Amino acid sequence: MTNNANVAAGQQKLRSKKGHERRINGTIYTVLVVMSIVWLVPFVFLVLQSFRSYKLEKGGMVDYLLPKHFSLDNYAFLFEGSNFFSWLGKALIVGLIVAAVSAVLIHACGKLLDKGEESRGRRIALIGGSLLVGFVALTALTAAMQGFVLAGSWVKVLLSLLLFVLAGWIMARVYLKQDSKLLRSIPGYVVEDRHEGLKKFVAMLAEFLVLGIIVQFILAPMTMSQYVRWYINTLTIALFTAVLQTAIVLSVSYALSRLRFKGRKLIMNAVLVLGLFPGFLTMITLYFLLKQLGLTQAGAVPGLILIYCASSGMGYYISKGFFDTIPKSLDESARIDGATRFQVFLKIIMPLAKPIVIYTILMAFMAPWGDYVFASYVAFGHQNGYNVAVGLYNWVNTNDFQNYFTRFCAGGVLVAVPITALFLALQKYYVEGVTGGAVKG
C-alpha cells in the first residue's frame, strides 16, 4: 500500500509539474504573439495606406484602416517621369542573353583549364576571347534594344569592358580546382556534390545576369524620377559600404584575434573607450571636412560612403569573438605548409567564418539603408544627393502633408521590401554569427 501511495504521489507531482510548465509556456507564447502583433501593426497600416488612392480619397491621416478605393496611384507616382519598367524589362532580356553566352563560354574555358596544364598565354587567350564575345553580344543587344550608339561613348564602353573582364576572370578562376573553396559562398553548396557542375553554372549565370544589368545601366542609363534617383543613391551607398566595411572589419578582427604585437591591448582599450562617444559629436567637423573635399550636396553619395566606412574598424568586437572560436592550429598548419597570412585568412578562415561574414555584411548594409541624420546634413538641400529616408521626409515635411502621406507610405513599403527579404533569407547565418561571436570559445 505504501508503494502504491508513493507512486500515486509521484505521478501527481509529475502532472503538476507538467501543468506548471504548460502554463508558463502558454504565458510566454501569448506574450510573444501580442508583441509580434504590436510590432506588425504599423507595417500593416503602412502597406494598406499605400494602396489608398490620393486622387479619390483624402490623402492624409484617416480614421479607418482599409482603403475605400484600392489603387496603385501612389506607386505610379513614385515612378512618374521615369522609364524604369521598360528599361528594366529590356535590361533583363539583355542580361539573360549575355549571362547565358558568358556562362557557357567561361564554363567551357574552365573545363579546358581543368583538363591539363595550360600556359599563362593560353589561359588569357581562352578567358579573354570568351569575355570579348560576351561583351560584343552585350553592346550589340544594347544597341538594338536601346538605340545606343558607340560614337562619343568610349569612356563608358571601356569602363564596362573593364568590369566585364574583371568579373569574368574571377569567375573563371573559380572553375580551377585550386580555387574551388570560393564556391562555398554559394548557398546550398556541398563539397564533392554530384551536382557541383550544375551549381557552378547556375552561380555563374546569376553573376553574369547582375553584371549584364549593371553594364546595361552604364551604357544605356534609364530616365529617373526623383524617387528612383533617391533609391539608387541609397542602394549605391549601402552596397559600397557593405563591401568596404566588411573587408575592413574582418581584417581588423582577424589581426586582433590572431596576431600578438606590442600595443595590441592598448589599441583595443582605446577603441573601446572611443566607441563610448556617439558619432554625432563629430557631425560639424565632418561636414566642414567633407565640404573642403567637395563631398557634400552634389557629392553626397561618395561623402556618405566615406563617413560610414572611415571608422568601421572600431566595430570589430563580434567578428573578433567569432575568429577566437576557430582553432589556431589551422593557421599554424597552413603556415608550416608555406601559406602566407593573407592566404590563411582568405582560403582557410573565410570559408569557416561564413556566418560572421554574412552578419557583418547585413549590419554594414542595413546601417546606411535607413540612415537619416548623416544623410540629411551631408546632402543639405541638394535633392539629387538625397537618399530615400531624406527624400521621403522632405515630401511630408516641406510639401503638403495631406497630399503626400499615402505616397510616403508607398515609398516606405518599397524601402522595406528588399531589406526584409534579405534578412529573412539570411536569418540563419545572422543568428549563427551573433551567437558565435558573442562568447569566446
Side-chain angles (χ1 to χ4, degrees), residues 46 55 94 174 189 200 236 312 314 339-340 383 419:
L46 188 75
K55 296 178 180 179
V94 172
V174 167
Y189 176 76
K200 286 183 180 182
T236 302
S312 57
M314 296 174 63
T340 63
Q383 290 196 2
I419 195 67

Side-chain angles (χ1 to χ4, degrees), residues 55-72:
K55 296 178 180 179
L56 302 176
E57 298 185 50
K58 186 179 178 182
M61 297 286 288
V62 293
D63 57 358
Y64 53 88
L65 183 62
L66 293 176
K68 295 179 180 179
H69 302 279
F70 278 88
S71 172
L72 296 176

Side-chain angles (χ1 to χ4, degrees), residues 285-297:
T285 305
L286 282 175
Y287 177 78
F288 283 104
L289 179 61
L290 293 175
K291 188 175 181 180
Q292 294 296 322
L293 298 173
L295 297 178
T296 59
Q297 296 184 328

Side-chain angles (χ1 to χ4, degrees), residues 6 66 94 185 255 294 308 318 331-332 349 356 398 400 416 433 440:
N6 290 336
L66 293 176
V94 172
S185 61
Y308 296 135
I318 295 180
D331 303 45
E332 295 168 356
I349 302 300
I356 200 62
T398 59
D400 185 3
K440 178 180 177 180

